[in-house]
């Protein structure tokens, strides 16, 4: 009897010791990883991600916004953004997003898509602060995270509002299949593609699709406001 | 070698797709008897590939045929010319209702009652009685092509087999074959036959394997069901949708302009590309099915 009781106590102590070791190990690993990440960020030269976006950067959606069955964010693919960090599309939830599929060395119409998105941003005024802008690369081979970051800086995209993503070709195809974007190689370096700006609500459902360039933006602006829960 | 001798040498090798394209002949010479079709080679070896050694065969699923590498000119391609297609394997016929029923039994996420709307629209498996019951009216129904399935669902099915959807080029390459030749896409007679197949009204799709078997040993590529391909998103046609009414083609598409058709006689291909250009990943249709492919 006594022997058995002693044994149980010993086991509990052992467990306690094991637990402490495990914790210590976990902390060591976490700090090592943290250090690695810090070094990577410093080397990358990107500004620190503000706290309000920390949840997005970690890949977790905003706690208050469920993803519905029709949401683009049901795609579970892994992407990387301009910081090189891995992102899931679900990290975009909780915020109205304007999404387009472009590529950084596109000389023809992609700059105009960007211009349209910036015009929409301007037209939204104060509401624009609540909206995110997402560019998904059609050319993941050339558009590395580094390239995305350079591009964003070169065209003046506010990293607090703009997310640039690069991923596997099959995953790009899935996003295009949901959004309704067609694209194919055109010669050695170009990609012919439809020009689309999609408005996604906080749950990731498509509320509006603007096809073509330089057209009347009022409908898209209205769709964004509606997704924000505002009336004109 | 002088040009004349070179031409004679090429002629001696027999007609090639390149020669046919260059000539634009409506009645290209038939492939000589010495060249055996994959289907003939297989028949010589006693029938279907050994399912035990065919990783995508399986007892529940149709065996695939191996389609040898080649070149062809897609109707709408990135360039105006030929593309090379690596050897690949393709299902002999579309996936059947029975096969898809087995799949959704094994993978509940793909049942009609459970599938997420982003992956399949309201028409998904529309005709089925219940999630697991296709509602066969007769013994043939199990062997008809499954329809009302989305691209996402088709991909999931193929993936579950360790296979994939065919690419657009692979599908078109296989479909360019008649019974007698791999490159019948410029044969006016063949094109006319196809057009009749495509436009003939049918109350329902036929049992798989009952339409003509082509050069490669593949059935049902024409006039049975429209079939999903992996990269349907690569079809970019000017005037493809109502949406471009607001602007010109140049505004709608990034690039110097979409490439035009390479062969105006290939009506069936026109229909296929036009159909593909309007698709989205969640779409389902009463005449839309699929078959799987695999790397060779």
């Amino acid at each position: 009897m006594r022997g058995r009781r002693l044994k149980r106590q010993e086991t509990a102590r052992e467990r306690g010791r094991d637990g402490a070791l495990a914790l210590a190990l976990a902390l060591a690993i976490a700090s090592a990883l943290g250090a690695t990440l810090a070094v990577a960020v410093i080397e990358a030269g990107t500004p620190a991600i503000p706290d309000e976006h920390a949840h997005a950067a970690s890949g977790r959606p905003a706690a208050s916004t469920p993803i519905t069955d029709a949401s683009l964010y049901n795609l579970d693919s892994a992407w990387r953004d301009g910081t090189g960090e891995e992102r899931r599309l679900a990290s975009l939830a909780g915020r109205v997003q304007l999404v387009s599929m472009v590529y950084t060395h596109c000389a023809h119409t992609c700059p105009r898509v960007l211009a349209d998105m910036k015009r929409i941003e301007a037209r939204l005024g104060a509401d624009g602060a609540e909206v995110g802008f997402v560019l998904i690369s059609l050319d993941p081979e050339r558009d590395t995270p580094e390239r995305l970051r350079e591009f964003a800086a070169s065209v003046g995209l506010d990293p607090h509002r703009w997310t640039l993503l690069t991923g596997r070709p099959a995953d790009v195809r899935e996003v295009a299949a949901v959004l309704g974007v067609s694209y194919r190689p055109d010669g050695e370096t170009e990609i012919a593609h439809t020009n689309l700006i999609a408005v996604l609500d906080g749950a990731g459902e498509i509320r509006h699709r603007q096809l073509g360039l330089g057209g009347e933006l009022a409908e898209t602006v209205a769709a964004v406001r509606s997704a924000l829960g505002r009336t004109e | 070698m002088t040009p004349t001798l070179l031409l004679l040498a090429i002629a001696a090798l027999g007609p090639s797709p390149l020669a046919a394209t260059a000539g634009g002949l409506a009645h290209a010479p038939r492939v000589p008897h010495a060249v055996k079709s994959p289907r003939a080679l297989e028949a010589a070896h006693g029938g279907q590939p050994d399912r035990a050694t065919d990783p995508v065969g399986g007892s529940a699923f149709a065996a695939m045929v191996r389609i040898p590498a080649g070149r062809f000119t897609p109707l709408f391609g990135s360039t105006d010319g030929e593309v090379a297609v690596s050897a690949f394997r393709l299902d002999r016929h579309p996936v059947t209702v029975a096969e898809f029923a087995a799949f959704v039994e094994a993978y509940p996420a793909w049942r009609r009652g459970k599938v997420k709307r982003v992956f399949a629209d309201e028409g998904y498996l529309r005709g089925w009685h219940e999630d697991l019951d296709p509602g066969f009216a007769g013994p043939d129904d199990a062997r008809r092509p499954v329809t009302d399935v989305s691209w996402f669902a088709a991909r999931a099915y193929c993936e579950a087999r360790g296979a994939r959807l065919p690419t657009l080029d692979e599908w078109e390459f296989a479909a360019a074959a008649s019974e007698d030749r791999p490159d019948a896409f410029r044969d006016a007679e063949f094109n006319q036959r196809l057009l009749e197949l495509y436009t003939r009204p049918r109350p329902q799709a036929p049992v798989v394997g009952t339409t003509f078997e082509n050069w490669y040993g593949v059935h049902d590529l024409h006039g049975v069901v429209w079939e999903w391909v992996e990269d349907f998103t690569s079809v970019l046609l000017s005037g493809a949708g109502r949406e471009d009414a607001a602007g010109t083609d140049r505004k709608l598409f990034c690039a110097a302009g979409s490439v035009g058709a390479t062969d105006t006689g290939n009506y069936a291909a026109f229909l296929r590309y036009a159909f593909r250009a309007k698709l989205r990943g969640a779409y389902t249709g009463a005449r839309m099915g699929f078959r799987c492919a695999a790397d060779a």
Side-chain angles (χ1 to χ4, degrees), chain B residues 60 95-103 128 134 136 141-144 146 157:
Chain B
V95 172
T96 66
V97 180
E99 286 166 346
F100 202 78
F103 165 70
W128 290 32
F136 297 136
D141 287 353
R143 301 256 317 143
R144 296 189 201 282
V146 68
Y157 174 96

Side-chain angles (χ1 to χ4, degrees), chain B residues 7-292:
Chain B
L7 282 170
L8 282 172
I10 290 170
L13 286 170
S16 67
L18 189 58
T21 307
L25 302 170
H27 300 284
R30 299 210 170 276
V31 179
H33 289 300
V35 180
K36 283 227 188 310
S37 71
R39 143 175 138 245
L41 285 167
E42 194 188 276
H45 287 100
Q48 304 218 339
D50 183 354
R51 283 193 172 141
T53 57
D54 179 353
V56 298
S59 56
F61 307 110
M64 293 185 171
V65 288
R66 185 180 184 278
I67 306 217
R71 307 182 65 82
F72 83 115
T73 306
L75 183 66
F76 288 99
S78 295
T79 63
D80 281 333
E82 285 195 322
V83 296
V85 178
S86 305
F88 68 104
R89 300 162 84 186
L90 188 66
D91 276 344
R92 293 174 178 282
H93 55 67
V95 172
T96 66
V97 180
E99 286 166 346
F100 202 78
F103 165 70
V104 299
E105 171 132 22
Y107 294 88
W110 291 101
R111 295 180 191 174
R112 184 172 64 186
K114 290 213 160 119
V115 74
K116 293 189 175 174
R117 192 51 72 231
V118 69
F119 297 135
D121 65 22
E122 297 81 1
Y124 184 61
L125 301 178
R126 173 196 311 268
W128 290 32
H129 285 186
E130 282 166 26
D131 279 11
L132 297 177
D133 177 13
F136 297 136
D140 283 348
D141 287 353
R143 301 256 317 143
R144 296 189 201 282
V146 68
T147 58
D148 302 299
V149 288
S150 65
W151 178 75
F152 284 106
R155 271 166 121 229
Y157 174 96
C158 292
E159 214 172 299
R161 274 172 69 183
R164 57 172 173 79
L165 285 175
T167 64
L168 202 159
D169 282 350
E170 285 172 340
W171 198 98
E172 288 288 316
F173 180 65
S178 62
E179 294 94 325
D180 306 312
R181 55 179 304 135
D183 53 349
F185 58 94
R186 285 194 191 275
D187 186 322
E189 233 180 278
F190 182 59
N191 284 336
Q192 187 56 36
R193 261 178 69 199
L194 290 189
L195 194 58
E196 282 162 21
L197 274 178
Y198 276 67
T199 53
R200 171 176 65 191
R202 275 188 198 270
Q204 58 185 340
V207 167
V208 299
T210 55
T211 67
F212 79 89
E213 182 183 6
N214 76 6
W215 169 261
Y216 299 112
V218 180
H219 294 264
D220 306 334
L221 289 167
H222 299 283
V224 176
V225 286
W226 304 108
E227 295 189 11
W228 285 110
V229 293
E230 169 64 19
D231 51 344
F232 74 87
T233 49
S234 69
V235 178
L236 201 59
L237 303 178
S238 56
R242 269 172 258 127
E243 302 92 295
D244 69 323
T248 64
D249 298 343
R250 287 185 163 275
K251 280 190 192 168
L252 195 59
F253 303 114
C254 175
S258 65
V259 176
T262 53
D263 175 11
T264 51
N266 197 343
Y267 308 117
F270 262 112
L271 292 173
R272 292 194 297 270
Y273 278 86
F275 183 79
R276 289 173 188 132
K278 305 296 297 292
L279 295 171
R280 304 270 285 275
Y283 280 8
T284 64
R287 277 289 189 263
M288 185 121 202
F290 71 103
R291 71 183 71 207
C292 301

Side-chain angles (χ1 to χ4, degrees), chain A residues 34-223:
Chain A
T36 311
L37 194 60
V39 166
V41 168
I42 289 162
E43 282 187 284
T46 53
I49 301 165
D51 285 343
E52 72 218 319
H53 292 282
H55 76 269
S58 71
R60 288 193 300 275
S64 58
T65 310
I67 292 171
T68 55
D69 274 4
S71 169
L72 172 75
Y73 305 150
N74 285 295
L75 294 179
D76 197 35
S77 39
W79 301 77
R80 287 191 298 159
D81 62 18
T83 68
E85 186 164 339
E86 186 179 288
R87 303 277 296 263
R88 302 278 152 165
L89 294 177
S91 65
L92 299 170
R95 202 179 188 191
V96 171
Q97 304 279 1
L98 266 78
V99 183
S100 189
M101 302 186 80
V102 295
Y103 60 108
T104 63
H105 61 279
C106 163
H108 298 111
T109 54
C110 303
R112 297 180 58 191
V113 172
L114 219 51
D116 275 355
M117 289 173 87
K118 285 182 170 183
R119 278 169 57 204
I120 293 166
E121 186 181 17
R123 290 265 288 266
L124 285 167
D127 289 342
E130 298 176 51
V131 173
F133 299 82
V134 184
L135 301 178
I136 296 177
S137 175
L138 292 169
D139 190 3
E141 202 182 334
R142 287 196 184 78
D143 286 342
T144 59
E146 229 168 57
R147 174 72 197 123
L148 291 181
R149 202 185 58 254
E150 279 167 16
F151 176 77
S154 73
V155 296
L157 301 181
D158 180 349
H160 299 174
R161 290 194 191 178
W162 291 77
T163 306
L164 279 65
L165 297 175
T166 184
R168 289 169 51 240
D171 297 333
V172 174
R173 202 145 47 225
E174 284 188 351
V175 171
V178 172
L179 294 181
V181 170
S182 300
Y183 64 102
R184 66 150 185 264
D186 184 30
E188 284 300 307
T189 54
E190 297 301 308
I191 298 173
H193 63 97
T194 49
N195 294 302
L196 171 80
I197 298 173
V199 177
L200 305 187
D201 62 18
E205 293 197 20
I206 301 171
R207 297 284 285 261
H208 181 73
R209 294 168 70 241
Q210 175 187 309
L211 278 163
L213 301 167
E216 182 50 60
L217 302 177
E219 265 187 51
T220 305
V221 172

